[in-house]
Amino acid sequence: WLHKGTLPLWQIAVSFALLGKTTLALRVPSLLLATASVWLTYAIGRRTVGLSAALIAAALQAISPALLQLVHGYWFSDHIDTALLFWVELGMYCVVRALRSQHGRWMALAGAASGCAFLSKSFPGLIVIAVVVGVFVFARLGVLRDAPITGWAVLISFASFVIIAGPWTAWCAWKYPNEFRHELAHVGQHLTTDVEDWAGPWDRVLFDYSIFIYGLFYPVVIFAAGLFICRTARVRHGGRTILLIWCVGVLVPFLVATTKTPTATAIAMPALLLTVGVFVARALQGRKLEAILLI
């Protein structure tokens, strides 16, 4: 629990307390969170890329073999990655809502969700804060046209993150200083050393693990992501930029890291599936390029 984060274990403990110590109770939190993640993909997509694309992406996520295997415990880091996916998506949903409403409470909730993601699997949970900072920087540079995130909003999200993640982290550092330092260094070792025989070349994420995660839709993901990047760079839309930073912020660190676990990039799945949703929706509308590539 010092290595992976304790929140998923707390979720399982609550399930055990309510349902008894059974295999079903062990899996119920993952079942609920994975199902809720599908709705969050739809909710994020509806506010960033449109209704049709959101429905397509949510449907693809609902039938994803990779996520189903995580829920059933057939794959590495099952309940950890399922919890991480949910809390990251909840944070992204709050960021998207903040772009529309400009209410500080949505930024506070985004930071809190990022704190829960951090308590689920350490530093990958910071992707929500990274997206907030990225959108803020792009807006200040004049790259984005509709991203009213202020410096105060960034501070609010970070303060909420600290309020949620800080107490448990500080307690671990105080109560178990040697173990805490060891595990903190262990996380950093993933970047430069082979941890638990999970080392791989830079392209393993793209041409091995991603094929497992996306299955038959893998070629469509490649085409869709490429077109999405080009169009987002042209229209400079705040909501779409969130999806773009989300993908890049997850994928790039794992491309350069020495140690690569199979489902570590699964938290980028909703964003990539939303690009697929846009791609398929445009093909169904008769857009020639998308229709030809889809065929």
Side-chain angles (χ1 to χ4, degrees):
W1 49 269
L2 276 175
H3 177 55
K4 286 294 186 184
T6 192
L7 183 56
L9 300 181
W10 288 342
Q11 293 165 177
I12 292 171
V14 171
S15 182
F16 280 168
L18 296 175
L19 303 175
K21 296 179 182 178
T22 66
T23 303
L24 176 61
L26 175 71
R27 299 296 169 197
V28 162
S30 291
L31 173 63
L32 295 177
L33 294 183
T35 303
S37 296
V38 172
W39 180 86
L40 284 170
T41 297
Y42 162 76
I44 293 168
R46 190 165 63 87
R47 290 172 171 81
T48 56
V49 294
L51 178 62
S52 297
L55 287 171
I56 293 168
L60 292 176
Q61 185 167 327
I63 63 173
S64 165
L67 292 185
L68 291 174
Q69 289 189 53
L70 282 176
V71 171
H72 283 276
Y74 289 126
W75 203 247
F76 174 82
S77 194
D78 47 348
H79 55 276
I80 299 290
D81 282 332
T82 303
L84 177 66
L85 175 63
F86 169 80
W87 291 111
V88 165
E89 282 211 71
L90 182 61
M92 296 300 183
Y93 171 74
C94 293
V95 175
V96 170
R97 290 297 300 268
L99 284 184
R100 293 291 187 92
S101 65
Q102 301 185 40
H103 287 310
R105 68 173 181 269
W106 286 112
M107 294 307 299
L109 291 172
S114 183
C116 291
F118 184 86
L119 292 177
S120 296
K121 200 178 181 180
S122 182
F123 293 101
L126 289 171
I127 184 61
V128 178
I129 300 296
V131 167
V132 171
V133 173
V135 172
F136 169 73
V137 171
F138 284 143
R140 294 282 290 182
L141 293 175
V143 176
L144 300 180
R145 299 168 180 168
D146 57 345
I149 290 183
T150 64
W152 280 111
V154 175
L155 290 176
I156 289 171
S157 64
F158 184 74
S160 297
F161 168 82
V162 172
I163 289 171
I164 297 299
W168 176 257
T169 304
W171 185 83
C172 289
W174 172 74
K175 187 70 174 178
Y176 305 100
N178 295 330
E179 293 85 350
F180 181 81
R181 285 194 296 269
H182 175 272
E183 289 301 330
L184 192 63
H186 190 70
V187 172
Q189 288 172 3
H190 285 67
L191 296 174
T192 58
T193 61
D194 181 2
V195 176
E196 299 175 359
D197 296 326
W198 287 112
W202 72 269
D203 60 349
R204 173 163 290 177
V205 171
L206 296 178
F207 303 123
D208 184 357
Y209 295 155
S210 292
I211 294 175
F212 160 73
I213 292 174
Y214 300 104
L216 294 175
F217 301 104
Y218 175 75
V220 181
V221 171
I222 300 299
F223 292 138
L227 290 175
F228 189 85
I229 291 171
C230 295
R231 293 196 173 102
T232 300
R234 185 174 69 250
V235 301
R236 295 184 291 174
H237 181 272
R240 290 178 173 234
T241 301
I242 288 176
L243 302 181
L244 186 57
I245 299 174
W246 185 355
C247 292
V248 173
V250 172
L251 293 174
V252 169
F254 287 100
L255 289 175
V256 301
T258 300
T259 298
K260 300 172 173 64
T261 53
T263 57
T265 60
I267 54 173
M269 174 185 283
L272 286 169
L273 289 182
L274 285 169
T275 70
V276 173
V278 173
F279 181 87
V280 175
R282 289 175 64 87
L284 294 175
Q285 292 168 0
R287 304 297 178 93
K288 291 183 179 180
L289 177 59
E290 284 80 357
I292 291 172
L293 291 176
L294 188 61
I295 293 174

